Amino acid sequence: MNFTRWSARLPGTQRRAAARGTDSGTSPERRGEGAVPAARGDSDGDRPPDRPDEEPAAPALEDFSVREILGSLPGLVALVYGSDHRIAYVNDAYAAAFGTRPPGGPAAGSCPELAELGLFPLMDQVLRSGKPRTVKSRRVPGGGSYTVSCLPVELRGGAGSTGGVLVHAADVTDHAEAAERLRASERRHREAAVTLQRSLLPQELEQPDDLRVAATYQPGGADAAVGGDWYDVITLGAGRTALVIGDVMGRGVRAAAVMGQLRTAVRAYARLDLPPHEVLQLLDGLAAEIDASQIATCVYAVHDPNEGRLVYASAGHLPILVRDADGTVRRAADHTGPPLGTGGWLHTSGTIALPPGSSAVLYTDGLVERRGEDIDEGLAALERALSGATGAPAVVCDRLLRSLGVTASHDDDVAVLVLQHPDRTGPDAELFHNAALDLLGGIEAAPRARAFASGVLSSWRFPPDLRDLGVLATSELVTNSLQHGTPPMRLRLRRTDRRLIIEVTDGDDHLPRRRRAESDDESGRGISIVATIASSWGCRRTPGGGKAVWCEFALPARVKDPKDQLPGVR
């Protein structure tokens, strides 16, 4: 095949050819041929030879053998012409990879590899547009991967010109395999991080007596690394519940590991029954010790059924949202300090009402934060979605995710915690009762407290053995408060569908502790007696000074429904 008939449409090719044609038509006089040399007193034979440092003229493109150049290329080259892409030439590398191809035949029949690479639509486009096109990492079934460039060429001569395409395929199999190994490694790393993340989250949420709680965690899509979002629900005793949500700034296994350490620390600090701001103060120092290069945001809230509100503290986290029974949505006030791990800040606690029939939502930034949008827009969208979200907490979680557009391909992980304070009516309300007595002190306080407890427990139709244990625990707690506490004193009895709670408060902030009493000691056995007969007991300091000491008794199954204790009721 004569390659001099083919001309690639390369910049400058036609200009150089035109320039050469102009030079060839110049007269000998213009080019200096036949001119008389200047008189120098020397004959032509005596002229000095050309200087050796003069460089020869650069060769033209036509001086090179295009066939030899294409044949020696390591890449695969095929030259086709016409609208049906007939084979004009394939180089040695192409023949070695796919076999020899006879010239003149249509490529659709003789070059199945071009169809496997999906090149025929691309070649048609190159013929129509006259512009080169490139596709990367196309795989041949059962073979390697190639990056293919298609260049328009033109055959001139004869009756006219015929368009063609020069196909150049570079073997990138090694690069494609390395990229696939890297993607597989990233998938394994992400799967390990997701597994670690889920294993560090609560496998089953604790369900308080007075709240209904549900939570969900949605990891980011395949292109997003797993973050450090977490949540938790911790029962504190005496009907009180701690609710926690947080987000470690970072991605991958390291963020998940830091998250697990912080979650464990929160549960340990919660057992101290400290105010929310003191828990965050302790977490702040711990976060800096775990990893000074990472910070975390967190909200720690405590619900007390006797107060009907949430007491919370926030370390750089988004505000809690509360939906009232009428659909009104309120934001928690800005009692927000810097993220955990920054240090040098005194956190404070705030409160927000949570009356019966209301719901609260704690969430991470992945739910409301979008690229290119202000986060206030996301918060407003969440408020609108929460306003119309009704049903069980798990249903509310799903509705919020759908309303905010969180899918499996979301670019950030999301954690959502929903709690509801149900408005109980009818038979369900009979399972929850409260009774309280103010104690003025004196020798008559303990007998009065015992009589009050006996009457209340009898009205709640507890069996005699549970009533006697409740009266004994009341006597010991009141006696301990009279001996070691200061006024004002208050006895509170509370019944839920699962337990009996007895709590005594006074004005002294010295917390009692259980100790072993010797056989000849006349005191020191009260707390030990309570700890022995009750399911659990504890104490905490109250806001404004003072303390509360409490104990709980799990209700037997036969007394969880008060109708079981009423004669004639089935």
Side-chain angles (χ1 to χ4, degrees), residues 201-202 205 213-216 229-236 241-247 259 262-270 276 279-280 283 297-303 310-315 317 320 340 361-364 415-419:
L201 291 174
L205 288 179
V213 183
T216 184
D229 293 15
W230 94 92
Y231 57 82
D232 209 348
V233 178
I234 310 166
T235 54
L236 303 177
T241 306
L243 306 120
V244 194
I245 197 164
D247 185 3
M259 176 274 292
L262 290 178
R263 176 176 173 259
T264 302
V266 169
R267 295 192 69 88
Y269 294 146
V279 172
L280 291 190
L283 281 177
T297 64
C298 180
V299 168
Y300 183 90
V302 175
H303 174 257
L310 286 175
V311 181
Y312 69 92
S314 174
H317 206 81
I320 301 173
L340 302 176
V361 177
L362 290 74
Y363 51 95
T364 56
V416 181
L417 176 63
V418 176
L419 59 137

Side-chain angles (χ1 to χ4, degrees), residues 258-297:
V258 173
M259 176 274 292
Q261 296 178 77
L262 290 178
R263 176 176 173 259
T264 302
V266 169
R267 295 192 69 88
Y269 294 146
R271 292 182 63 87
L272 301 176
D273 212 343
L274 300 171
H277 65 276
E278 293 189 20
V279 172
L280 291 190
Q281 208 70 50
L282 293 173
L283 281 177
D284 187 27
L286 179 64
E289 294 177 4
I290 292 175
D291 191 340
S293 64
Q294 287 187 309
I295 60 176
T297 64

Side-chain angles (χ1 to χ4, degrees), residues 389-407:
T390 58
V395 175
V396 174
C397 285
D398 293 338
R399 289 182 176 178
L400 294 181
L401 292 179
R402 289 197 302 269
S403 299
L404 273 296
V406 177
T407 62

Side-chain angles (χ1 to χ4, degrees), residues 286-375:
L286 179 64
E289 294 177 4
I290 292 175
D291 191 340
S293 64
Q294 287 187 309
I295 60 176
T297 64
C298 180
V299 168
Y300 183 90
V302 175
H303 174 257
D304 191 333
N306 298 313
E307 300 176 355
R309 63 178 184 174
L310 286 175
V311 181
Y312 69 92
S314 174
H317 206 81
L318 295 169
I320 301 173
L321 298 183
V322 174
R323 179 189 184 275
D324 292 326
D326 60 358
T328 304
V329 177
R330 297 175 284 118
R331 291 189 191 182
D334 291 333
H335 286 272
T336 302
L340 302 176
T342 56
W345 183 267
L346 292 177
H347 293 273
T348 58
S349 295
T351 61
I352 186 169
L354 190 70
S358 61
S359 305
V361 177
L362 290 74
Y363 51 95
T364 56
D365 58 354
L367 182 64
V368 296
E369 193 172 33
R370 299 292 182 272
R371 294 179 181 177
E373 295 182 7
D374 192 272
I375 195 169

Side-chain angles (χ1 to χ4, degrees), residues 545-569:
K547 67 176 178 296
V549 185
W550 54 269
C551 67
E552 294 180 351
F553 292 88
L555 298 184
R558 66 180 185 273
V559 299
K560 289 185 178 180
D561 190 342
K563 291 186 291 185
D564 295 340
Q565 301 300 311
L566 299 178
V569 177

Side-chain angles (χ1 to χ4, degrees), residues 475-496:
S475 177
E476 294 298 335
L477 292 181
V478 170
T479 301
N480 183 80
S481 180
L482 291 172
Q483 290 182 353
H484 305 288
T486 59
M489 302 177 186
R490 185 178 177 87
L491 168 66
R492 179 185 288 124
L493 304 178
R494 177 173 173 80
R495 178 226 162 97
T496 71

